[in-house]
Structure formats: C-alpha cells, structure tokens
Amino acid sequence: MSSFSLAASIFTGGYRSFGASVTLLRTLASTHVNVLNKRRTCNNSVAWFSSSHRRQCGCQSSKLEVSYTSSANSCSDYDRLLPCPPYSRPLRIEHLVVSEEARVLDYICKSLDLPPLFVADLIHFGAVHYALVCPKPPPTATPEQVALFEKFTAPLLLKKRASIKGKTVREAQKTFRITHGDQLLEAGTYLRVHVHPKRFPRCYEVDWKSRIIAVTDSYVILDKPSGTTVGGTTDNIEETCATFATRALGFKFPLKTTHQIDNCTEGCVVLARAIEYCSEFHGKIREKKVKKLYLALAASPVPAGIITHYMRPINIAPRLVSEESKERWHLCQLEVLDCRKVPWPDAVTEEKYSVENCGWPSKDFAYECKINLLTGRTHQIRAQLAAIGAPLVGDSMYMPAAIAKMANPELDPYGKYRKQYTDESDEAVDVADWIARHGKEPTIAIGLQACEISWDDGKQNYKAGSPWWRCRLA
C-alpha cells in the first residue's frame, strides 16, 4: 500500500467548512496531523488526505505548524459520546472514499477501527456526512493526489453510477448528513467523519425549564444560556438549545431555529414549533419587522447615538470593520440608547461563567450599554465596539486587538489612524498582522445579552432575565 502526505492546508470560507478534503481508503495510509493554531484558523483549515487533527488554540499563536506521523486507530480509545466530558478532545476528522458497497455504520467501524456504539452515537450527533462524489482537491495538491482524484471521478466511471445520473459533478459533490446507520453506501461515495465532535458540556448544567420565557402555539421564546449553540454545529446537532428546550417542554416534535446568536452570547431566541413558522419569522426579519435590543458590558464608555461601520465581506472570524465605506463591504449600524457605569464583574462571577481574562489594563469599572441593533451582521456588536476602543468584557477574540490598538493606533489598517498605502502587498501584510492580533473565540460567556426581542410593531415583545454579570445582585 502506498502512502504520502500533503504538507498544506485548505482555508475555506465559513465558520465550519470541511468540504474540500478527502482520504482515499486503501490507497493512502492513515495519518495523524498535529495542528497548533488560533481557533479561527483551526475552524477553517483542513489538510487534504489527512485523517486526524489535534487542536490546541492560543491567543498568541498565528503560525500554522503541521506534522505527520503514521498511526493506527484503536478501539480502546473510544466508548460512547455520552456522558459528555467536561472538555473537548482534540479535533479529529476522517475523510474516506468507499471502496465497496456497504452499510455506513459497518464501513466506518471497519475502516477506522471504531466500536459500533460509538459510530452510532456519531451518526446520532450528525457528525457523519457524505457526498456522492469526492470533493475537488485544492490547488496545492500534488500530481499524484490529483491523479487519484481523477481516477475516482473519471467520466466513464461516473457514467456507470445511476445515483448521479442527471447531476453535474459539482451537484454530486454536495455533502449531506448521514441520518441512519443502515444507510447503504455505493462504491465511490465520499465520507467525512467528525470522530471528535465539538461538545457543549454547559447543556447538561442548565435548568432548561427555567430558561423558557414563553410558549405559544407557533413558537417558544428561550432565554438562551451562554456556552451553548442555538441549532447545532457541523458535527453536533444533539447538544443544542433547540434539542434541550424540546425535551424540557416534553414536546413530541423538535423545535426549530429561526435565527442565531453566538454561542458565547445569552438571551432571547425564537424557536419555531413547525417549519411553517420558520418561514413566517424569516419573512419578518427580511421585512425588518423584528427589533432586537442587547445589553453589552463594555470595557470602556460608549457614546450614545448611532455607530456606523462597514464589515469586510469575508465569512470568517474575526470580522474586520472599516470606518469608511468600501465597495461590497456590508453596512453595520447600531444605536447606543444608554450607557451606564457599573462595577467590573468580581472574580467569583467571572470564574462561574468562565469569563476569560484578556489583559484589559483597568478592571475597576465596566460600562453597561443598551443597544438597538439596526443591522444584523455576525459579530457586529463585538467588532464595532472593539473598533472604537470599547471591547466587550471577556471577548478573547476582539479584546487583544483592541488593547494592541491602544498602544499603536496605526495597527488597525481600517481605523481612523490607518496608514496610507501605495502598495497593495504592504496593505495585505498589515491586514494579516492585524488579524493575527485577535484571539480565540470565547469559551463560555462574554458581556453580551440579547435582552429583548419584539415584532409586529411591539405587539409581540419578550425580555430575557438578568444578564450573568448581574447574577450576584439577582
């Protein structure tokens, strides 16, 4: 059996995108890849033909280091996905091309030497995906790897497969979740197995009934706790707010997500009881009939009024914003309704909610701002307040860059004191350096709560409970 490795990585857009990687079973040896990088890079970096990734994320590291060593997998390392461990195991993703028709559960067990109950758990978690045809290799692939891809996607071979008749190759490369272990796989099918899915231990610590704000025939309003995901991730659709709220209410049919807020953010979320209301609520959002108010705990005072930025149209964190309008950049606007000085959360509160110490120089006072979100961009409040020197308490992604900018305002290539560039390559270098000054995504909580949501001119209006930083007073 021949084996080789590709010492390169794919960087794809999106928070969790792994669709451009494959391992050809029985042609390539199993490899272990050790990736040491920022969480931002880890979530968007997959080495083609590699079978496992180990992740350690730190705020200060921006260099990608990849090493390869041959290894065999062992059943002794695996049992069940539940009970949930209090920590996340290093990222491991396996990419396979099915060599012969088989049941998906049997094939994964045999190929990866994993116990059947563990693989069944992975399928239940939504951690196994398939495509009818292997994804295309990246530009950095070697001639040998390209040749292997071409072998499995040869027109004569694909023509014989009835499952892709009438589909373009690109359509056949689209990935879908495996939903049942008995699902039959035909030869040539691509599999992506998230052997170590991202876990959410916080789900098991929450009294979910106490987080229900309202229940109607069409929807449920949930006061989402921080450290949880609303509707799931690429590799975990089990440990979600929708799942646990459904169980807490004893509903027969699962609740469905209508919108998202960050895992590290708490507050009001609307969950639909039927798919029809999802469409209805999405329509209200498009028509700007939904109003969202937030409480933000900033490290510095924020002036009242409308704050405007333009966000770089790249779907990857950190989100960069500019004070000046740029072509194709997205308008970001929020209105600060009020800002009041409050005590910085004490050490006990910060420890309880795993609030990270990001090195802010003064921790006597924080500033609680009430914000009307006028446009709804990912990380908008976090990125905009950090850009004006008032990052959110505990925001380990944006606060490190804001601190660096305090010492040297020119570091922000899109800020008020940015350099004037005559060479695009110089600007690209500074942008890369600016991105590297940001940290990792927070673990549990930051100073941000979706405190109120309303629609239909206020006819439907719901409020969250006290934010975590007031818990000692509640």
Side-chain angles (χ1 to χ4, degrees):
M1 174 165 49
S2 62
S3 69
F4 51 84
S5 62
L6 171 65
S9 296
I10 303 168
F11 294 87
T12 55
Y15 182 64
R16 279 170 281 270
S17 179
F18 299 99
S21 302
V22 338
T23 296
L24 297 179
L25 189 63
R26 297 182 181 177
T27 307
L28 300 179
S30 180
T31 59
H32 280 274
V33 181
N34 294 290
V35 178
L36 189 65
N37 195 18
K38 300 175 95 172
R39 181 165 187 167
R40 171 187 79 249
T41 306
C42 295
N43 284 337
N44 298 280
S45 170
V46 181
W48 199 53
F49 287 166
S50 70
S51 68
S52 71
H53 306 251
R54 297 191 181 275
R55 176 176 64 189
Q56 293 178 351
C57 303
C59 288
Q60 304 305 319
S61 174
S62 61
K63 180 181 179 182
L64 182 65
E65 300 175 2
V66 185
S67 62
Y68 297 80
T69 57
S70 294
S71 176
N73 302 315
S74 171
C75 280
S76 62
D77 294 335
Y78 299 94
D79 183 20
R80 301 294 299 270
L81 289 183
L82 294 175
C84 179
Y87 57 87
S88 292
R89 300 185 71 175
L91 177 65
R92 178 184 169 195
I93 306 168
E94 297 284 350
H95 308 272
L96 309 172
V97 171
V98 176
S99 57
E100 58 189 15
E101 184 176 292
R103 273 198 337 150
V104 63
L105 190 146
D106 296 337
Y107 196 85
I108 294 173
C109 291
K110 180 180 177 181
S111 303
L112 302 181
D113 191 18
L114 295 172
L117 289 177
F118 184 82
V119 175
D121 286 347
L122 289 177
I123 293 171
H124 175 70
F125 267 56
V128 181
H129 301 251
Y130 79 98
L132 295 175
V133 175
C134 313
K136 186 177 179 180
T140 50
T142 67
E144 288 176 292
Q145 293 164 346
V146 172
L148 286 171
F149 167 77
E150 291 174 347
K151 174 184 176 181
F152 276 83
T153 57
L156 288 177
L157 182 63
L158 296 181
K159 191 175 181 179
K160 296 177 181 178
R161 295 179 58 185
S163 62
I164 61 175
K165 187 176 181 180
K167 296 183 176 68
T168 65
V169 172
R170 179 172 292 184
E171 289 171 340
Q173 289 171 335
K174 185 176 180 181
T175 56
F176 300 90
R177 273 195 172 94
I178 295 286
T179 58
H180 201 283
D182 288 330
Q183 185 170 333
L184 280 178
L185 301 174
E186 64 178 351
T189 301
Y190 162 72
L191 281 178
R192 187 178 76 240
V193 185
H194 296 256
V195 182
H196 295 169
K198 178 176 174 60
R199 306 305 299 271
F200 295 91
R202 181 94 168 100
C203 287
Y204 304 93
E205 304 167 2
V206 173
D207 177 3
W208 288 93
K209 279 191 176 180
S210 72
R211 308 292 299 201
I212 304 298
I213 297 173
V215 179
T216 74
D217 292 338
S218 301
Y219 58 84
V220 169
I221 307 297
L222 175 71
D223 188 351
K224 174 192 173 296
S226 59
T228 62
T229 174
V230 177
T233 60
T234 300
D235 51 6
N236 189 341
I237 57 173
E238 164 65 18
E239 295 168 339
T240 71
C241 292
T243 298
F244 279 76
T246 298
R247 291 173 183 166
L249 292 168
F251 287 167
K252 181 178 179 181
F253 300 104
L255 292 166
K256 299 165 179 60
T257 59
T258 64
H259 63 110
Q260 297 283 348
I261 60 177
D262 291 346
N263 295 348
C264 54
T265 302
E266 63 180 22
C268 296
V269 170
V270 181
L271 300 172
R273 298 188 64 173
I275 193 67
E276 292 77 14
Y277 192 76
C278 284
S279 300
E280 182 180 336
F281 195 79
H282 290 162
K284 296 179 187 296
I285 293 175
R286 285 194 303 271
E287 296 165 9
K288 301 188 183 301
K289 293 181 178 179
V290 179
K291 183 177 181 179
K292 300 177 184 178
L293 296 181
Y294 284 79
L295 287 179
L297 191 68
S300 293
V302 181
I306 294 176
I307 299 175
T308 300
H309 286 91
Y310 299 86
M311 183 174 286
R312 187 175 68 150
I314 296 180
N315 190 27
I316 185 173
R319 306 297 172 129
L320 303 186
V321 295
S322 168
E323 295 184 4
E324 291 186 353
S325 175
K326 290 181 173 290
E327 186 178 3
R328 291 192 292 272
W329 283 40
H330 304 306
L331 174 67
C332 290
Q333 284 189 320
L334 58 81
E335 182 183 11
V336 179
L337 303 175
D338 179 53
C339 183
R340 65 190 187 96
K341 193 175 184 179
V342 297
W344 192 282
D346 60 33
V348 174
T349 302
E350 289 189 325
E351 181 179 1
K352 179 179 178 181
Y353 292 95
S354 300
V355 179
E356 299 192 42
N357 180 358
C358 307
W360 192 255
S362 175
K363 294 186 176 178
D364 294 328
F365 297 100
Y367 298 84
E368 186 181 275
C369 307
K370 193 167 188 177
I371 293 173
N372 178 20
L373 196 60
L374 302 178
T375 58
R377 307 293 180 188
T378 302
H379 289 197
Q380 179 182 331
I381 294 175
R382 297 166 61 185
Q384 284 197 267
L385 293 194
I388 63 171
L392 301 185
V393 171
D395 195 344
S396 53
M397 175 165 283
Y398 291 94
M399 187 176 281
I403 293 172
K405 184 177 176 180
M406 289 167 60
N408 184 0
E410 287 187 353
L411 288 175
D412 183 351
Y414 303 117
K416 183 177 180 180
Y417 300 100
R418 64 191 176 279
K419 299 176 186 176
Q420 298 301 314
Y421 297 100
T422 56
D423 190 327
E424 289 185 1
S425 62
D426 290 340
E427 181 178 3
V429 169
D430 282 355
V431 169
D433 177 67
W434 179 239
I435 290 173
R437 292 179 184 277
H438 290 71
K440 60 183 176 63
E441 185 68 0
T443 305
I444 301 291
I446 63 172
L448 189 60
Q449 183 200 53
C451 66
E452 185 174 345
I453 189 168
S454 61
W455 59 92
D456 294 344
D457 296 323
K459 293 178 182 177
Q460 310 299 329
N461 185 280
Y462 302 95
K463 296 181 180 180
S466 295
W468 63 262
W469 59 87
R470 291 190 202 159
C471 70
R472 58 185 175 177
L473 304 176

mmCIF file of all heavy atoms in Angstrom, residues 223-243:
data_model
loop_
_atom_site.group_PDB
_atom_site.id
_atom_site.type_symbol
_atom_site.label_atom_id
_atom_site.label_comp_id
_atom_site.label_asym_id
_atom_site.label_seq_id
_atom_site.Cartn_x
_atom_site.Cartn_y
_atom_site.Cartn_z
ATOM 1 N N ASP A 223 -34.649 31.920 26.841
ATOM 2 C CA ASP A 223 -33.557 32.761 27.343
ATOM 3 C C ASP A 223 -32.285 31.909 27.239
ATOM 4 O O ASP A 223 -31.923 31.185 28.162
ATOM 5 C CB ASP A 223 -33.824 33.175 28.792
ATOM 6 C CG ASP A 223 -32.832 34.209 29.301
ATOM 7 O OD1 ASP A 223 -31.836 34.490 28.597
ATOM 8 O OD2 ASP A 223 -33.029 34.732 30.420
ATOM 9 N N LYS A 224 -31.640 31.972 26.093
ATOM 10 C CA LYS A 224 -30.502 31.095 25.811
ATOM 11 C C LYS A 224 -29.361 31.330 26.799
ATOM 12 O O LYS A 224 -28.937 32.457 27.017
ATOM 13 C CB LYS A 224 -29.995 31.355 24.390
ATOM 14 C CG LYS A 224 -28.708 30.612 24.021
ATOM 15 C CD LYS A 224 -28.117 31.152 22.734
ATOM 16 C CE LYS A 224 -26.757 30.552 22.437
ATOM 17 N NZ LYS A 224 -25.727 30.889 23.435
ATOM 18 N N PRO A 225 -28.812 30.256 27.378
ATOM 19 C CA PRO A 225 -27.636 30.422 28.235
ATOM 20 C C PRO A 225 -26.367 30.545 27.383
ATOM 21 O O PRO A 225 -26.301 30.017 26.266
ATOM 22 C CB PRO A 225 -27.615 29.130 29.065
ATOM 23 C CG PRO A 225 -28.397 28.143 28.279
ATOM 24 C CD PRO A 225 -29.330 28.893 27.384
ATOM 25 N N SER A 226 -25.373 31.231 27.903
ATOM 26 C CA SER A 226 -24.095 31.319 27.194
ATOM 27 C C SER A 226 -23.412 29.956 27.205
ATOM 28 O O SER A 226 -23.719 29.092 28.039
ATOM 29 C CB SER A 226 -23.196 32.363 27.855
ATOM 30 O OG SER A 226 -22.966 32.021 29.213
ATOM 31 N N GLY A 227 -22.507 29.750 26.256
ATOM 32 C CA GLY A 227 -21.800 28.483 26.175
ATOM 33 C C GLY A 227 -22.591 27.376 25.521
ATOM 34 O O GLY A 227 -22.258 26.199 25.649
ATOM 35 N N THR A 228 -23.659 27.736 24.824
ATOM 36 C CA THR A 228 -24.487 26.763 24.116
ATOM 37 C C THR A 228 -24.708 27.227 22.689
ATOM 38 O O THR A 228 -24.575 28.407 22.376
ATOM 39 C CB THR A 228 -25.846 26.574 24.798
ATOM 40 O OG1 THR A 228 -26.558 27.834 24.778
ATOM 41 C CG2 THR A 228 -25.692 26.113 26.236
ATOM 42 N N THR A 229 -25.070 26.290 21.822
ATOM 43 C CA THR A 229 -25.382 26.622 20.436
ATOM 44 C C THR A 229 -26.887 26.546 20.220
ATOM 45 O O THR A 229 -27.549 25.661 20.757
ATOM 46 C CB THR A 229 -24.650 25.675 19.462
ATOM 47 O OG1 THR A 229 -25.074 25.939 18.130
ATOM 48 C CG2 THR A 229 -24.920 24.218 19.783
ATOM 49 N N VAL A 230 -27.418 27.474 19.438
ATOM 50 C CA VAL A 230 -28.868 27.521 19.243
ATOM 51 C C VAL A 230 -29.361 26.278 18.508
ATOM 52 O O VAL A 230 -30.229 25.553 18.988
ATOM 53 C CB VAL A 230 -29.288 28.788 18.467
ATOM 54 C CG1 VAL A 230 -30.801 28.780 18.213
ATOM 55 C CG2 VAL A 230 -28.901 30.042 19.230
ATOM 56 N N GLY A 231 -28.790 26.036 17.320
ATOM 57 C CA GLY A 231 -29.310 24.959 16.496
ATOM 58 C C GLY A 231 -28.306 23.900 16.100
ATOM 59 O O GLY A 231 -28.627 23.002 15.333
ATOM 60 N N GLY A 232 -27.081 23.994 16.604
ATOM 61 C CA GLY A 232 -26.114 22.953 16.316
ATOM 62 C C GLY A 232 -24.955 23.423 15.463
ATOM 63 O O GLY A 232 -24.932 24.546 14.953
ATOM 64 N N THR A 233 -23.991 22.538 15.316
ATOM 65 C CA THR A 233 -22.802 22.796 14.524
ATOM 66 C C THR A 233 -22.695 21.729 13.440
ATOM 67 O O THR A 233 -23.513 20.815 13.377
ATOM 68 C CB THR A 233 -21.545 22.751 15.407
ATOM 69 O OG1 THR A 233 -21.445 21.449 16.014
ATOM 70 C CG2 THR A 233 -21.619 23.795 16.522
ATOM 71 N N THR A 234 -21.679 21.846 12.618
ATOM 72 C CA THR A 234 -21.468 20.864 11.556
ATOM 73 C C THR A 234 -21.388 19.450 12.105
ATOM 74 O O THR A 234 -21.839 18.498 11.463
ATOM 75 C CB THR A 234 -20.165 21.190 10.788
ATOM 76 O OG1 THR A 234 -20.281 22.493 10.227
ATOM 77 C CG2 THR A 234 -19.914 20.195 9.677
ATOM 78 N N ASP A 235 -20.824 19.298 13.316
ATOM 79 C CA ASP A 235 -20.574 17.964 13.856
ATOM 80 C C ASP A 235 -21.388 17.629 15.097
ATOM 81 O O ASP A 235 -21.169 16.583 15.705
ATOM 82 C CB ASP A 235 -19.082 17.803 14.168
ATOM 83 C CG ASP A 235 -18.533 18.942 15.019
ATOM 84 O OD1 ASP A 235 -19.338 19.794 15.449
ATOM 85 O OD2 ASP A 235 -17.316 18.984 15.244
ATOM 86 N N ASN A 236 -22.345 18.489 15.471
ATOM 87 C CA ASN A 236 -23.105 18.222 16.688
ATOM 88 C C ASN A 236 -24.472 18.899 16.614
ATOM 89 O O ASN A 236 -24.584 20.115 16.822
ATOM 90 C CB ASN A 236 -22.333 18.706 17.912
ATOM 91 C CG ASN A 236 -22.960 18.267 19.223
ATOM 92 O OD1 ASN A 236 -24.125 17.897 19.285
ATOM 93 N ND2 ASN A 236 -22.189 18.321 20.294
ATOM 94 N N ILE A 237 -25.502 18.121 16.324
ATOM 95 C CA ILE A 237 -26.867 18.652 16.319
ATOM 96 C C ILE A 237 -27.673 18.076 17.481
ATOM 97 O O ILE A 237 -28.894 18.239 17.554
ATOM 98 C CB ILE A 237 -27.592 18.364 14.988
ATOM 99 C CG1 ILE A 237 -27.612 16.861 14.686
ATOM 100 C CG2 ILE A 237 -26.962 19.142 13.851
ATOM 101 C CD1 ILE A 237 -28.456 16.481 13.476
ATOM 102 N N GLU A 238 -26.986 17.422 18.409
ATOM 103 C CA GLU A 238 -27.621 16.852 19.588
ATOM 104 C C GLU A 238 -27.585 17.815 20.762
ATOM 105 O O GLU A 238 -28.611 18.065 21.411
ATOM 106 C CB GLU A 238 -26.926 15.532 19.952
ATOM 107 C CG GLU A 238 -27.224 15.023 21.362
ATOM 108 C CD GLU A 238 -28.671 14.641 21.592
ATOM 109 O OE1 GLU A 238 -29.413 14.442 20.607
ATOM 110 O OE2 GLU A 238 -29.076 14.554 22.766
ATOM 111 N N GLU A 239 -26.425 18.371 21.080
ATOM 112 C CA GLU A 239 -26.257 19.245 22.243
ATOM 113 C C GLU A 239 -26.562 20.685 21.856
ATOM 114 O O GLU A 239 -25.681 21.527 21.709
ATOM 115 C CB GLU A 239 -24.843 19.082 22.798
ATOM 116 C CG GLU A 239 -24.605 17.681 23.346
ATOM 117 C CD GLU A 239 -23.151 17.389 23.642
ATOM 118 O OE1 GLU A 239 -22.266 18.072 23.083
ATOM 119 O OE2 GLU A 239 -22.886 16.462 24.432
ATOM 120 N N THR A 240 -27.851 20.979 21.673
ATOM 121 C CA THR A 240 -28.292 22.289 21.209
ATOM 122 C C THR A 240 -29.412 22.825 22.090
ATOM 123 O O THR A 240 -30.089 22.067 22.800
ATOM 124 C CB THR A 240 -28.817 22.219 19.765
ATOM 125 O OG1 THR A 240 -30.078 21.523 19.759
ATOM 126 C CG2 THR A 240 -27.842 21.494 18.841
ATOM 127 N N CYS A 241 -29.623 24.118 21.994
ATOM 128 C CA CYS A 241 -30.741 24.738 22.721
ATOM 129 C C CYS A 241 -32.073 24.182 22.231
ATOM 130 O O CYS A 241 -32.986 23.913 23.023
ATOM 131 C CB CYS A 241 -30.714 26.251 22.518
ATOM 132 S SG CYS A 241 -29.323 27.086 23.301
ATOM 133 N N ALA A 242 -32.204 24.004 20.922
ATOM 134 C CA ALA A 242 -33.460 23.502 20.368
ATOM 135 C C ALA A 242 -33.775 22.107 20.915
ATOM 136 O O ALA A 242 -34.919 21.820 21.294
ATOM 137 C CB ALA A 242 -33.381 23.477 18.847
ATOM 138 N N THR A 243 -32.766 21.253 20.981
ATOM 139 C CA THR A 243 -32.970 19.881 21.468
ATOM 140 C C THR A 243 -33.344 19.858 22.943
ATOM 141 O O THR A 243 -34.317 19.198 23.349
ATOM 142 C CB THR A 243 -31.695 19.048 21.251
ATOM 143 O OG1 THR A 243 -31.415 18.971 19.858
ATOM 144 C CG2 THR A 243 -31.846 17.645 21.818
#
